[in-house]
Amino acid sequence: MTEQYVLGLQEIDETQVAVVGGKGAQLGGLSRIDGIRVPGGFCVTTDAFRRVMAEVPSVDELLDRLSRSDPDDRETIRTLSARIRRSIEGTAVPDGLAAAITGALAELGEDAACAVRSSATAEDLPTASFAGQQDTYLNVVGSEAILRHVSRCWASLFTERAVIYRQRNGVDHRTVHMAVVVQRMVLPDASGILFTADPVTGNRKVATVDAGFGLGEALVSGLVNPDVYKVRDDEIVARTIAAKQRAVQALPAGGTREVAVDSQRQEQPALTDAQVVRLVRLGRRIEAHFGSPQDIEWCLADDGFQIVQSRPITTLFPVPESGDQENHVYVSVGHGQMMTDPMKPLGHSMWRLTAMVPMHEAGGRLFVDVTRRLAAPTSRAGLLDVLGKGDPLIRDALETVLDRDGFVPSLPDTGPGGPPAGGPPAPLETDPAVVTRLIERSETSVAALERDIRTKTGPALFDFLMEAFEEHKRVLSDPLSIQAIMAGMEATWWLNDKLLEWLGEKNAADTLTLSAPGNVTSEMGLALLDVADVIRPHPELVTFLQGVEDDGFLDELTKLPGGTEARDAIQAYLDRYGMRCVGEIDITRPRWGERPTTLVPVILDNVRNFEPGAAELRFEQGRRKAQEKEQDVLSRLRALPDGDLKADEAKRMIDRVRTFIGYREYPKYGIISRYFVYKRALLAEAERLVRAGVLPEAEDVFYLTFQEFHDAVRSNRVDERLVRQRKEAFRSYHALTPPRVLTSEGDALTGAYRREDVPAGALVGVPVSAGTVEGRARVVLDLADADLEAGDILVTAFTDPSWSPLFVGIAGLVTEVGGVMTHGAVIAREYGLPAVVGVEQATRLIRDGQRIRVHGTDGYVEILP
């Protein structure tokens, strides 16, 4: 195939990233849009780059050394990347290539002033923005200067910043190539940036225009504050006109200079209102062509706009597909489930199939459409109350949307008046036998699932699973189960409200729920202390576990003194809790039973930080504290007017809390138990596809939805391109922060606390477990990286039940996500840990090792000097 060194912009479209890089491909695409003017020019292709790199001395050896270097070793990277750049710039442009470039230049005009711009094959992709990492040179005049600057652009692939970015994002330096765009220079009256969606709020209907005088470099470099316009439906809805004291202008002989703006002109708008609206219309045309919101660089010359760059805005959170033009309000599922990481397609499709309400996927996360419930007064009040109790920030975000005139329609209350047919359910007796019966029902159902699924393979397995999902939902929606959960929660709320009113005591129920019986999640944490007790007496076992990397380590244990007992203890723990893991609502996440090494650091922490018998001792201490608190509360109540009545009511509610609050954690345990059964059957099916040559590896099915997996089993075919695209999209979703509330217009809302009762500088959150504690913050983002000492305060993004083994060894808890009744809060109360949850950006604002004070009663965290 003949190498092509130069292509005119008109010959290029956005599919040719490999040939002309991200910027060149976008410019080629732009130049094909009707009504969009792009400065004339051409691209020096990646073939030219490869040809030059083949001539650069010692480049292979330098690239090898660069690839092996640590991304944090700035000195080595600085030295190696500078040598590569010098070598590229010092290599003469081969004659044939130089002739192709000068020939293309002649068509623009021999002495035309040009912009020479880098265009790497890995930049401006939909999933990663490499913008600004390579170089652009403005107002370059003459063929000799342009050839020199083309070499500089090639070399800029190896700037220190670009090299570190690639290494941190796992991009191989050899797979990225550099094209160069050469365009006729525009000498603009004004220039700037147009975002076709609001980059701050995410609203897709509001465009933002930044504008200044002269060349856009003044804005990009931060030399001046721009005029800023916000435009919605062809109307300017907000404007800020800045004092623009400086501008960048082109020099006649080449290059640019910074100039002062005439004082009379500084506060004049760079654009007229009519020009702003016209520019946004052009932006909408570009957005429609590329199919996503765009970040567009523009120039204005002689009252005409020219577009010099357009790239996707990669920071916006995607909007769920609704299939209509109506307004919608979505609430995050992940914030309620304590799992805000992205889920793989099989994970989110199976959660949707087993959930009790319809859900929508966006950015690898799930959302529930609450628009209709917000529209009618009664359902709105109920929804805000329930969500507000779980997470006050969700309630505040929803109220922000409701404050917008007309966004949520107003509907009358619907449904029949009066009580439901058959009357309300019978009141639930405070009887531990209720909980025992519910757990037996769940265990019987899971055992039947395990028994019946064994014989199912192929398409029959998927048919069976669809029936199993109905049983799954039936167990979840069991009215008695829901009554038991609500009984515990309502009794907690009653105690907190009444004891605050009667005794002036905040969060009194926190102590009354210590060591509540039957909580499967808190028992899971304590049970790992018992495992540590088996290992602690044997130093050789401890040494062995410190070096464990392979998940097959359990069989190796038996070769050491005490190893058989240790293996049996760990295996018994996995038999009971091996279906759990971090992010467990995503079925594709590796379970402890599949990856037992995950538990080893926690076991070793327990060996180091605790004495033998700690599990029983801790549980008993908590139970005794709760008992003493009960006696204290009741005696103080009896001293009040109507004290006996109040004490009797409180006693009834304390008994009710201790009977039912532990069950709050059981339904999730049941769900995840079922998930592990589903997963093992599905992975066996995936292995069959691998053996049949349909899939390269079994876990590729994680990137298919449940229905697509079913289709693959029926047809024995998988679209490998789709799997590749899904893997790339999943990687990109990790960079997105999911909002608590999202609108169909793209507004991403996190909510605010609006509290004035906290000290200046404190981090505000939800008080979920009473008490105050001071200690060292350990910021832990991955359970496997936990290295905790007694007295440490765990700071993390979210905790689902899998984190509870860490709770036994810490003194306090701070999370970014959560509410009063989420898992971390319930377990923190059971263990008596002061805890504040829902602290926005806690893992960024608190540094690992800092001393902090957690005010679990009042809901804030102080960072100590």
Short mmCIF file of all heavy atoms in Angstrom, two decimals, residues 318-324 328 330 352 359-362 369 744:
data_model
loop_
_atom_site.label_atom_id
_atom_site.label_comp_id
_atom_site.label_asym_id
_atom_site.label_seq_id
_atom_site.Cartn_x
_atom_site.Cartn_y
_atom_site.Cartn_z
N PRO A 318 -23.58 10.92 31.23
CA PRO A 318 -24.59 10.63 30.20
C PRO A 318 -26.02 10.68 30.76
O PRO A 318 -26.22 10.50 31.96
CB PRO A 318 -24.26 9.19 29.75
CG PRO A 318 -22.88 8.93 30.26
CD PRO A 318 -22.68 9.78 31.46
N VAL A 319 -26.97 10.93 29.86
CA VAL A 319 -28.39 11.02 30.26
C VAL A 319 -29.08 9.72 29.87
O VAL A 319 -28.89 9.23 28.75
CB VAL A 319 -29.07 12.22 29.56
CG1 VAL A 319 -30.55 12.28 29.91
CG2 VAL A 319 -28.37 13.51 29.95
N PRO A 320 -29.88 9.11 30.75
CA PRO A 320 -30.59 7.89 30.38
C PRO A 320 -31.49 8.11 29.16
O PRO A 320 -32.05 9.20 28.98
CB PRO A 320 -31.44 7.57 31.62
CG PRO A 320 -30.76 8.28 32.75
CD PRO A 320 -30.15 9.51 32.14
N GLU A 321 -31.63 7.08 28.34
CA GLU A 321 -32.53 7.14 27.17
C GLU A 321 -33.97 7.07 27.69
O GLU A 321 -34.32 6.17 28.44
CB GLU A 321 -32.28 5.94 26.26
CG GLU A 321 -30.91 5.93 25.61
CD GLU A 321 -30.82 6.87 24.41
OE1 GLU A 321 -31.89 7.23 23.88
OE2 GLU A 321 -29.71 7.25 24.03
N SER A 322 -34.80 8.03 27.26
CA SER A 322 -36.20 7.99 27.72
C SER A 322 -37.14 7.63 26.57
O SER A 322 -38.26 7.17 26.81
CB SER A 322 -36.60 9.35 28.29
OG SER A 322 -36.62 10.32 27.27
N GLY A 323 -36.70 7.85 25.34
CA GLY A 323 -37.55 7.53 24.19
C GLY A 323 -38.64 8.55 23.93
O GLY A 323 -39.53 8.32 23.11
N ASP A 324 -38.62 9.67 24.67
CA ASP A 324 -39.62 10.72 24.40
C ASP A 324 -38.97 12.08 24.64
O ASP A 324 -37.80 12.17 25.00
CB ASP A 324 -40.86 10.54 25.29
CG ASP A 324 -40.54 10.61 26.78
OD1 ASP A 324 -39.67 11.43 27.17
OD2 ASP A 324 -41.14 9.86 27.58
N HIS A 328 -37.77 14.51 32.53
CA HIS A 328 -37.65 13.37 33.46
C HIS A 328 -36.68 13.74 34.58
O HIS A 328 -35.71 14.47 34.36
CB HIS A 328 -37.12 12.13 32.74
CG HIS A 328 -38.08 11.57 31.73
ND1 HIS A 328 -39.04 10.64 32.05
CD2 HIS A 328 -38.23 11.84 30.41
CE1 HIS A 328 -39.74 10.35 30.95
NE2 HIS A 328 -39.27 11.08 29.96
N TYR A 330 -34.34 11.70 37.45
CA TYR A 330 -33.83 10.38 37.81
C TYR A 330 -33.07 10.44 39.13
O TYR A 330 -32.30 11.39 39.37
CB TYR A 330 -32.87 9.87 36.73
CG TYR A 330 -33.48 9.79 35.35
CD1 TYR A 330 -33.28 10.82 34.41
CD2 TYR A 330 -34.24 8.69 34.97
CE1 TYR A 330 -33.83 10.75 33.14
CE2 TYR A 330 -34.79 8.61 33.69
CZ TYR A 330 -34.59 9.64 32.79
OH TYR A 330 -35.13 9.57 31.53
N ARG A 352 -31.37 -4.94 37.07
CA ARG A 352 -32.66 -4.43 36.57
C ARG A 352 -33.70 -5.54 36.51
O ARG A 352 -34.87 -5.34 36.85
CB ARG A 352 -32.48 -3.81 35.18
CG ARG A 352 -31.72 -2.50 35.20
CD ARG A 352 -31.29 -2.06 33.82
NE ARG A 352 -32.38 -1.49 33.06
CZ ARG A 352 -32.25 -0.95 31.85
NH1 ARG A 352 -31.06 -0.90 31.28
NH2 ARG A 352 -33.28 -0.45 31.22
N MET A 359 -35.69 0.47 36.07
CA MET A 359 -34.46 1.25 36.20
C MET A 359 -33.89 1.57 34.83
O MET A 359 -34.14 0.85 33.86
CB MET A 359 -33.42 0.48 37.03
CG MET A 359 -33.83 0.30 38.47
SD MET A 359 -32.59 -0.61 39.42
CE MET A 359 -33.38 -0.60 41.04
N HIS A 360 -33.10 2.66 34.78
CA HIS A 360 -32.50 3.11 33.52
C HIS A 360 -30.99 3.19 33.72
O HIS A 360 -30.53 3.66 34.75
CB HIS A 360 -33.05 4.50 33.14
CG HIS A 360 -34.54 4.56 33.09
ND1 HIS A 360 -35.25 4.47 31.92
CD2 HIS A 360 -35.47 4.67 34.08
CE1 HIS A 360 -36.54 4.53 32.18
NE2 HIS A 360 -36.70 4.65 33.49
N GLU A 361 -30.25 2.78 32.67
CA GLU A 361 -28.79 2.79 32.78
C GLU A 361 -28.21 4.02 32.10
O GLU A 361 -28.69 4.44 31.04
CB GLU A 361 -28.23 1.53 32.13
CG GLU A 361 -26.71 1.40 32.21
CD GLU A 361 -25.97 2.06 31.06
OE1 GLU A 361 -26.56 2.21 29.96
OE2 GLU A 361 -24.80 2.46 31.25
N ALA A 362 -27.18 4.62 32.70
CA ALA A 362 -26.40 5.69 32.06
C ALA A 362 -25.03 5.72 32.72
O ALA A 362 -24.93 5.65 33.95
CB ALA A 362 -27.09 7.04 32.23
N ASP A 369 -36.59 6.58 37.52
CA ASP A 369 -37.33 7.76 37.08
C ASP A 369 -38.43 8.05 38.10
O ASP A 369 -39.36 7.25 38.29
CB ASP A 369 -37.94 7.49 35.70
CG ASP A 369 -38.61 8.72 35.10
OD1 ASP A 369 -38.87 9.68 35.84
OD2 ASP A 369 -38.86 8.71 33.88
N SER A 744 -33.42 14.91 32.62
CA SER A 744 -33.36 14.57 31.20
C SER A 744 -32.62 15.63 30.40
O SER A 744 -32.20 15.38 29.28
CB SER A 744 -34.77 14.35 30.64
OG SER A 744 -35.61 15.43 31.03
#
